[in-house]
Each structure stands twice: as structure tokens, then as C-alpha cells.
Amino acid sequence: MRISLLGIYTETLFLAAALAAVAMGLPEAADPPVFGSGAGVVVNTSNATACTWDGVQELDDEVWKPAASYAFRGRSDETQGPGHIDRDIMHMVRRLTVTEKIGQMTQVQVGLLLDCNGELNETAVKHWIDTWKIGSFLESPGNHNGRYSWYSPQKFAELTDAVQKIALEHGSKIPVLWGLDSVRGANYVKGATIFPAGIATAATFDADHAFAAGRVAAKDSRAAGTHWAFAPVLDIAVNKLWSRTYENFGEDPYLSAQMGRASVQGYQGDYKSDRTRVAACLKHFIGYGYPFDGSDRANRHIAAHELLEYYVPPFRAAIDAGSATAMESYGVVNGEAIMLSHYYLTQLLRKQLGFEGMLVTDWGEINSQATLYRTAKDIEEATKMALQQTSVDMSMVADDDSFGRTMLDLVANGTVSEERLNESVARVLQLKKDLGLFTDPFSDPQLAKTVGSLQDVNAARDAVRESATLLKNENNVLPLSVEEKVLFVGPTLDSTRLMGGGWNVHWQGPSEEDGDAVYQGFGDTIIRGVRKVTGVAPKYMQGVDIDGEALIDIDKVVKAANKADKVVVGLGEHTYAENGGNIGQLLLPAKHIELVSAIANQTDTPVVVVLVQGRPRGLGSIAQDAAAILNAYLPGAYGGLPIAELLYGRSSPSGRLPTTYPATEAQASSTIWQSSYGEYAPQWAFGYGLGYSNITYTNVTVSHSDLQMGTPVTVSVTVTNHGPYAQKEVVQMYTHQQYRAGYAPELFRLRGFTKIDLNVGATETVLFTLTAEELAFWDRRLRRRIEPAPVTVAINPFTQKDISAVVQLRGDPGYVLEEAEY
């Protein structure tokens, strides 16, 4: 029986497991996955609860043997996205009461559904469904005093299915939409493969990795009974102090756009028919990545034409890829609240960029206009302005019923029209239909069998192998040899949680109390990876704590270093997210720097530094003291083995920096696209990275000396691997306009990239297409146009010298390709 879209939702039906498997294309395993019998999610049906729990979260005892592999639909450029509202949806909207409509526009967090024992409270669920007709819930119970620290797909699904059943029998009898911050895999689902952070994915310069991370995240999120991922994160990370730098795809508009498009294809794909996919959510719209002082949510000062030039492209790409939803940004740009801005959330997002999907606020952002930013007199005024001035569809009010109460008053007194509600509710219900919730809103138990699949783990490890970026390698100190006596020192080498960072098990990442035990074997460490690569237990000493408050047994460390052939030191950051990661300076903690200095200056042993970090932290004397430096970013729970393989030369590093790596605090906001007349002298430039092989570039040519609209040119370059290792090589094409009438040209703009496989002795000719339209720019009158001038086309300019050619950009400066309203 199918649930009738227009009827009363009093009955539900799970699809048969066999039919679900066939529809999804899952193979029959020769050795079927084995599931243990966990305690399950307890549904408390009483009004009164005897509080017997001490509040200390437990490990979820669910065990299963993940399927080694499974079938899936690959990447396609065919776009499925939002747009047309079906007739039956509009009929449903008209039948709903005002309270029901407001409920569909409201999202609250799962903690409101739990009792004092950390278990689902059916009475609380009925309250929110019956009284407020809530249409959407979000978050993991593990973040909100749930019984378990990390919920397995089985227990998570028991909870979401229990809520879904109540929703179908009470209130509006409409399925609920469940959102989850599955930003790097389904990171809140136990056993789900946690991929490298966005900044690391960008460092691969291979968008297929962004697709894979999104696809696996979607599958594992659906296994838990959730339908909507608050991803991808598309902010341009300008100020490197910013705590959310690691969530994004770096500082470059083109790189971020390519990664963002692939990510949407991974998360969402053909989501209207493929029930292993979720709704993607482009966020945070817009300008979030340039906080004035580097602290989260700080004011951003961004000229309108610069916003269009550098910050909009990733969002445009995600919209063109069909992203079903969007999330507005915290805070203010140029003093104007994003949440209340007609320009940003209606004119720019809807009219200019053509977004037709559902728009949600970030956490409590309507109320924050009154309580934090002081951009509204009170919550009522904030809600009124949000509904009257923007196109927002859903309030992630999160913690209370204030949105519902306020909206009822605003509609009753005529301040907000019911027609305005209809517009948003139609988009919400259409999304639910597109996701298949009116056919079967429940989790698919077959998907749970694929959570933690070796296939997924290998995909994550491949991303780590291709993201880790070799920044320095004096005298070829790397790779290490298994015959060498190597001492391993530092807190990040023997920790799964530190490789994961924030948005990993918990919002702020696992606590020290959680430790690595919370992973229950779903992960590794660099030390364990070294053991697997070498076959012997490595010599390891902690040396310093992660916060850099104290050196640990430094005399013993130096003594051991003197006896070693080489020393590998793992440094980095503790786990954090959002405000929890605010820092006053980029420089690593002093004790981290002192540790490397002590080894380098008191021994003759070469030091290799591995950085496990979410942003490019200042290195101080480490940049000189270390013979080799490998930036591993935040590689995720399975980063240990691939990093060990890179250290020992099982593969050659091929990652390239997706951000500028500052040399000084003053360079925190330096970018590759800053004005060319200013000094650009970072520690390492955007796009920089080394491998173990000798790669040369020759014979740069362009197919025509003139570049004009409608007539692209082909750029050709020859790349040769002289050995001694096979190499994945990132080939990057940049442009530099030598002058631009009235406007300072950028230092460089990335216009294309590809990643090629070169065996020792192999030569490959790489072709790029360059158009004049790409070199158009936004002026302060918000016109996108071309200024003719000579343009240098450069290949990998920061690792190769004088590998460039010049073309003459031609065009009418008065011809406007695109114009924006403000």
C-alpha cells in the first residue's frame, strides 16, 4: 500500500527489503552481513519519567559486518533539481490550516524529543507534532544528551522511524523531513566512513573525490532515516584564522565551484528516484568566509562587485548542479544582516542566480537578529522582516516554539499573509515528495548493511593519499625506508579523533573523555598505519600535549632522537567547530615549536613534521628546523594508513595547497586572487605542492594569439615524469591580465586544472580550453564585462618557472555580458 499524498496518513508500510535491494542495485553478498542484537532505542510512552541515567553517554553496542562492496549509480552531469510545484502539492497546501502551514516551515532539534534518560520520549514527540505540527527535525541525539555518544545506523533509524510513525498518526499526518550535518561522510552515524575535511578534498584537485564523499555521506545518512544533508559548504575561505576554514574547498572561486558541483552530484544525484541520495544544501549564503577579525560570525566587509566575482561562483555552480536546498549565512555583510536582506536572499539568490529550491535559516538565526546582532527590536520584528523581506522557507528555530507562536500572531494580525506561507510550504512539501517521503518515509534496513563498507573506506583513503601536500623535502629526507630507525613523536600521530577534527562523531569532535574509544574500531591512527606498512611496532613518544601547554619527557625525546636515523613529529590542533575554534593568532602553540626546535638543535637527526590541522597554522622556526613538512589537513578517521604509506613512499604525494599558506600573521587574508601590485610572499603559495618524482613542463603553446568572445583558444603543455616514482600530477592553468583599465588585475586566477597519472619516463600533452568570457570581470556598477589587454597564461607558476604564453584579450569594454541589480 502506498501512502496517499492527499489522504489521511494513518497507515504506513515498509517496502520489502528484497525489493529495496533490487531497486538500489545492491549485490547479494556471498557472506551476508551479520548484525548483533543491540539494546535498541527505548521509546518512553509515559508522561512522567523516572530519571535513572547518570548522563554519561554510552557506546552504542550495535555490531555488524559491513558489506565489502555494493553497487551504486556513478557521477552524471544530468541535472535533477527543484523548480515546478506539482498540482497535488498545491492542493495539499490549500487544505492545510495556518497552524499546519507554519509547522511545515519549522525545524527543531532532536534534543527536544528526548527524556532525562537520553531516550526518545513519545509524549514529547506528540507534543511537537500535535500542538505545533512540526514538519522537520534535525541533528543527532549524540549531540543532545542522547544515551549514546555515536548512534549506529540501526539505532539512529529506530529513533527516526519512531518519530516518523508518530508524525503519520498525529498532527497533520505528514511525513517529517530530517536534516543532518553530514558534511564529510555521515559523520554523526556510527561506523559511517568519515572522509577528509573539505579543505583536504580540495587539495586533491580531483573533483571525483568530492563526488565520492557526497555519495557515501548520502547513502549512510539515508540508512539512519535522515533525508537532508546540510552540505556542501561553499564559503570562500579568505581569512585563515577562521575556525571554519577546514569545512570549505579553499580560497579559490574556480576550484571551489568545481568541487561544489561534484559534491552536489554526489549527495543528491537523481534524488527524485534514487533513495540512496539526500537533498543537498548549499551553504552558507553568502560571504561567510571573510570575517573581519577572523572570529566566527564577525562582520564581513565585501564590496558588492567583489562578492559577485569571488564569492558567488561556487554557489552558482551548486545551483546549476540542481541543489534542492540552500542555507543562509550567519551574521552580517557590510553591516547588513544576511537573514533579513532582500538583496541577498531574494534578488541575488532567487532572481539573479535562479535558485528555485527550499531556503532554510541557520541555527536560530531569525531570533539572533534580536538577541545577538541587534538588527531587530525583538523576535517578532525579526520574524516579520525575515518573512516580508526575504524568500526564506523554513526556520531552523532549533530550541523552542518561538517561531510558531510569533508566526501565528503575525498571520492573525495580517502582518504576514497566508499567501506568503503557501509559497514556502509548497517548496517544503515538494521537497518531501521529491525525496519519496510520501511513498515511504522510513529508513531502508538494507542500506545499514553497507555502512562502513570497505569500498567506502578505500574511497576515503584514496582521498587522503591524493590530498596530503608535501611542502618541503630537503635532501630527499622523504620517503622513509623500512630499514631506517625512525622515532615518532607528537600527539597527532597516535589519535583518530585529532585526525577527524570537528563535525566528527560530535559537533566539536570527540572530547578527551571520549578519546578514540568512541570509534569502536571504525578508524585508525598514523602509528597503526606505520605498523602496517613496516610490519613492526614503531617507537612512539608523545612529546607535547595537543594544546601545547607543556612538553612531555623532552629530555627522553631528545635522547631517543639522537639514536634515531630520522624523527617524525606530528603536530596540529585540537578538535573544534565554529566559535569553539576561535584563535587570536595563526602561530602554532609555543611548545609545539619548541619540541621541533629541541630535536633539530640538540641532535643531528633530520626532522620530518606532519601537520594535522584544519587551517594553515603559523610554523615559526619549524619552517627552517624541519627537513621535510607534510600537510595532512584533517584526513578523517581512516587517514592513518595512507599517511604512513606516503611517508614510506608506497605512493608519492600529489596534493596541492587549496589556500595560501601565510608566513606572517599579516598575511592571514592573502589570496592568489588579490591585486597583483601588492606583495604576495607567503610561506607557500596557493597551488603549491611537491612529489617524490622529478616532473618537468615544456612546450607551452596557445592555438591563437588573440582571445575574443565566441572564439576560445586551446592551451597545450607537455608534462614528463623523469622518475624515480610514478606520480599523480596536478596540472593547473592560470591567467594574469597584465593591466585592466580602471581596475587592478588579480595576481593570478585559476582557470583550469586536471590530474594525470604519469609512470616513470612517461610524457603526456595536456590541453586546456580558455575563453574570453572567463576573463570578464564585475565592475563596481555591477556589470560583467571585458577590458582588452595582454594576458599571461601560466602553468603551475609557483612550482615551474617561466612555463607561460601570452594571448591578446580583445573585446568591447562597453559590452555587458551580465548585469546585476543591487
Side-chain angles (χ1 to χ4, degrees), residues 154-195:
Q154 295 83 4
K155 285 192 173 64
F156 209 135
E158 288 174 26
L159 186 147
T160 55
D161 285 347
V163 172
Q164 202 69 265
K165 185 174 186 296
I166 293 171
L168 296 177
E169 296 172 349
H170 294 266
S172 303
K173 300 181 176 64
I174 295 175
V176 296
L177 177 67
W178 202 294
L180 200 61
D181 278 295
S182 295
V183 295
R184 41 198 301 216
N187 36 272
Y188 288 160
V189 178
K190 173 187 167 181
T193 301
I194 298 177
F195 280 74

Side-chain angles (χ1 to χ4, degrees), residues 278-289:
V278 297
C281 183
L282 56 90
K283 70 178 189 183
H284 306 83
F285 195 82
I286 192 168
Y288 192 15

Side-chain angles (χ1 to χ4, degrees), residues 795-815:
I795 305 295
N796 294 28
F798 295 103
T799 56
Q800 304 292 323
K801 298 294 185 183
D802 302 321
I803 307 298
S804 63
V806 176
V807 295
Q808 178 66 43
L809 176 62
R810 301 191 183 279
D812 177 5
Y815 180 78

Side-chain angles (χ1 to χ4, degrees), residues 440-758:
D440 181 8
F442 297 101
S443 66
D444 179 355
Q446 293 299 313
L447 288 181
K449 299 178 182 180
T450 71
V451 173
S453 168
L454 180 61
Q455 178 175 301
D456 299 341
V457 172
N458 286 338
R461 284 176 168 158
D462 284 344
V464 177
R465 291 183 186 99
E466 295 191 37
S467 65
T469 306
L470 185 61
L471 300 174
K472 182 180 181 181
N473 195 22
E474 282 184 354
N475 302 317
N476 293 322
V477 66
L478 287 177
L480 305 173
S481 167
V482 293
E483 282 76 35
E484 291 173 323
K485 185 186 297 183
V486 182
L487 173 65
F488 293 86
V489 182
T492 59
L493 298 182
D494 195 31
S495 172
T496 306
R497 73 182 187 93
L498 294 179
M499 290 196 302
W503 305 102
N504 153 42
V505 179
H506 296 307
W507 172 45
Q508 295 289 332
S511 66
E512 289 189 23
E513 291 74 19
D514 287 326
D516 284 357
V518 73
Y519 293 96
Q520 295 179 262
F522 291 103
D524 60 18
T525 67
I526 297 172
I527 289 297
R528 291 207 294 270
V530 169
R531 182 196 296 263
K532 186 166 185 178
V533 169
T534 64
V536 298
K539 172 71 172 178
Y540 171 73
M541 305 175 76
Q542 184 173 340
V544 68
D545 67 290
I546 189 61
D547 292 318
E549 295 179 352
L551 295 172
I552 300 171
D553 296 327
I554 187 61
D555 292 338
K556 293 180 180 179
V557 170
V558 171
K559 183 176 180 180
N562 265 310
K563 297 177 181 179
D565 296 316
K566 293 173 182 175
V567 180
V568 176
V569 180
L571 303 174
E573 300 182 290
H574 63 75
T575 66
Y576 59 82
E578 301 187 34
N579 284 319
N582 285 346
I583 54 175
Q585 62 176 5
L586 276 173
L587 192 66
L588 280 169
K591 296 299 181 184
H592 284 209
I593 298 171
E594 288 178 26
L595 173 64
V596 176
S597 178
I599 298 170
N601 294 312
Q602 297 180 45
T603 77
D604 294 324
T605 308
V607 178
V608 175
V609 171
V610 177
L611 298 169
V612 177
Q613 56 184 1
R615 53 198 154 191
R617 297 299 296 264
L619 300 180
S621 61
I622 291 175
Q624 291 74 45
D625 289 339
I629 300 174
L630 182 70
N631 188 11
Y633 310 95
L634 293 177
Y638 288 100
L641 178 60
I643 291 171
E645 291 174 340
L646 290 168
L647 290 173
Y648 278 90
R650 297 292 177 88
S651 56
S652 180
S654 62
R656 300 294 182 261
L657 287 175
T659 67
T660 297
Y661 203 116
T664 67
E665 299 292 337
Q667 295 173 356
S669 295
S670 290
T671 66
I672 191 69
W673 42 264
Q674 67 186 42
S675 297
S676 60
Y677 68 85
E679 182 183 42
Y680 184 73
Q683 193 77 59
W684 295 286
F686 173 93
Y688 181 81
L690 306 171
Y692 293 148
S693 221
N694 177 21
I695 308 294
T696 60
Y697 289 68
T698 56
N699 303 326
V700 178
T701 63
V702 291
S703 60
H704 201 283
S705 59
D706 285 349
L707 180 60
Q708 52 191 337
M709 289 178 57
T711 309
V713 301
T714 299
V715 179
S716 171
V717 62
T718 301
V719 188
T720 302
N721 181 4
H722 300 281
Y725 292 88
Q727 181 72 44
K728 288 183 179 291
E729 178 69 6
V730 177
V731 186
Q732 307 161 49
M733 179 182 69
Y734 296 81
T735 62
H736 165 66
Q737 190 161 337
Q738 296 182 12
Y739 59 84
R740 183 185 289 156
Y743 292 84
E746 301 97 337
L747 177 66
F748 282 107
R749 291 295 298 271
L750 180 66
R751 302 298 184 185
F753 62 85
T754 188
K755 199 164 196 174
I756 60 175
D757 288 292
L758 285 177

Side-chain angles (χ1 to χ4, degrees), residues 37 50 77 99 114 117 146 191 197 233 248 285 291 324 362 366 427 480 513 545-546 572 599 611 719 755 765 768:
S37 55
D77 289 329
T99 301
L114 304 180
N117 291 314
V233 188
N248 302 276
F285 195 82
D362 210 328
I366 291 180
R427 286 195 280 257
L480 305 173
E513 291 74 19
D545 67 290
I546 189 61
I599 298 170
L611 298 169
V719 188
K755 199 164 196 174
T765 299
F768 293 104

